[in-house]
């Protein structure tokens, strides 16, 4: 694997509806300036042309920041958008097929919910696992049942690659997640649609960083 390791500390998954009038590009810009380390472009309601337009606008905001952009599921649009990789779920593109299409320079993430999913991921050249939902969440109505911190810890302990936790994570949960040795927290509504994106992001990043500070 020739790709530099990702800093998964604070991983933002975009939500076009939640971002509202501020919009996704402006939300991403403010969040990255305040401490987001990876951005995933996600908009299941957009068609390919709309996703490319939105993705290119986000990529422009990220230019020069060093923060990578990954595209949810739409592996075939990564190059057109100018993103640095993709993220696939259990029901999306097979990770082996995704890697073959992306090549070895791009990042690839995979969503998992159970320890069985880890076994399936071992043969795939993925950079990280997205584990969740950990807690109850409302952003993704068709999401799996929350697995809790115990399952997260088991998956983190068995995974051959770093894990980022997602699902119902806010300020109060950041320290609990870090105690499992997860590499980071992924959030949607904790940033998208907040009254002040920068303030919300700084608070989340501080909660994560403080949880890992020496006592």
């Amino acid at each position: 694997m020739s790709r530099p390791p990702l800093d998964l500390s604070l991983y933002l998954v975009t939500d076009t509806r939640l971002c509202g009038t501020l919009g996704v590009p402006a939300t991403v810009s403010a969040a990255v300036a305040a401490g987001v380390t990876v951005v995933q472009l996600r908009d299941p309601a957009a068609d390919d042309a709309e996703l490319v337009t939105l993705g290119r606008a986000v990529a422009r905001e990220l230019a020069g920041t060093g923060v990578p952009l990954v595209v949810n599921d739409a592996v075939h649009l990564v190059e057109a958008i100018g993103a640095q990789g993709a993220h696939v779920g259990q029901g999306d593109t097979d990770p082996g097929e995704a890697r073959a299409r992306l090549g070895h320079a791009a990042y690839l993430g995979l969503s998992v919910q159970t320890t069985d999913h880890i076994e399936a991921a071992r043969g795939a050249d993925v950079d990280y696992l997205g584990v969740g939902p950990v807690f109850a969440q409302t952003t993704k109505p068709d999401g799996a049942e929350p697995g809790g911190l115990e399952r997260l810890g088991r998956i983190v302990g068995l995974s051959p690659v770093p894990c980022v936790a997602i699902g119902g994570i806010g300020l109060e949960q950041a320290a609990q997640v870090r105690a499992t040795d997860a590499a980071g927290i992924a959030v949607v509504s904790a940033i998208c649609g907040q009254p002040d994106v920068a303030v919300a992001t700084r608070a989340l990043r501080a909660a994560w960083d403080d949880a890992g500070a020496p006592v």
Side-chain angles (χ1 to χ4, degrees):
M1 187 187 300
S2 60
R3 302 171 295 280
L6 288 166
D7 179 354
L8 297 167
S9 300
L10 184 52
Y11 183 121
L12 171 63
V13 181
T14 69
D15 185 302
T16 302
R17 180 185 61 81
L18 286 178
C19 286
T21 56
L22 180 61
V24 172
T27 297
V28 167
S29 180
V32 167
V36 158
T37 56
V38 179
V39 175
Q40 180 189 134
L41 178 69
R42 183 178 187 274
D43 188 344
D47 62 25
D48 283 4
E50 292 168 336
L51 197 62
V52 169
T53 298
L54 179 60
R56 287 176 174 172
V58 172
R60 286 193 294 271
E61 297 294 340
L62 292 175
T65 66
V67 172
L69 174 64
V70 298
V71 181
N72 180 265
D73 187 24
V75 177
H76 63 296
L77 299 181
V78 167
E79 184 175 359
I81 288 171
Q84 285 70 55
H87 183 94
V88 296
Q90 290 296 311
D92 298 333
T93 307
D94 175 81
E97 294 177 11
R99 173 54 68 196
R101 180 152 193 164
L102 289 169
H104 289 288
Y107 292 108
L108 178 61
L110 175 66
S111 294
V112 302
Q113 288 85 41
T114 70
T115 52
D116 288 342
H117 292 161
I118 300 173
E119 295 306 313
R122 285 188 186 278
D125 183 14
V126 298
D127 296 279
Y128 68 93
L129 300 181
V131 184
V134 179
F135 304 104
Q137 54 82 37
T138 57
T139 304
K140 194 175 180 182
D142 59 345
E145 290 296 311
L149 291 164
E150 183 179 351
R151 183 187 294 176
L152 171 63
R154 289 201 305 271
I155 292 174
V156 169
L158 292 169
S159 175
V161 293
C163 295
V164 60
I166 189 168
I169 297 172
L171 294 175
E172 295 180 3
Q173 292 79 24
Q176 296 173 303
V177 169
R178 186 143 198 179
T180 69
D181 289 331
I185 50 175
V187 300
V188 185
S189 60
I191 290 178
C192 294
Q194 290 297 311
D196 190 317
V197 168
V199 168
T201 303
R202 279 195 293 269
L204 285 166
R205 184 59 191 269
W208 177 258
D209 291 345
D210 290 349
V215 178

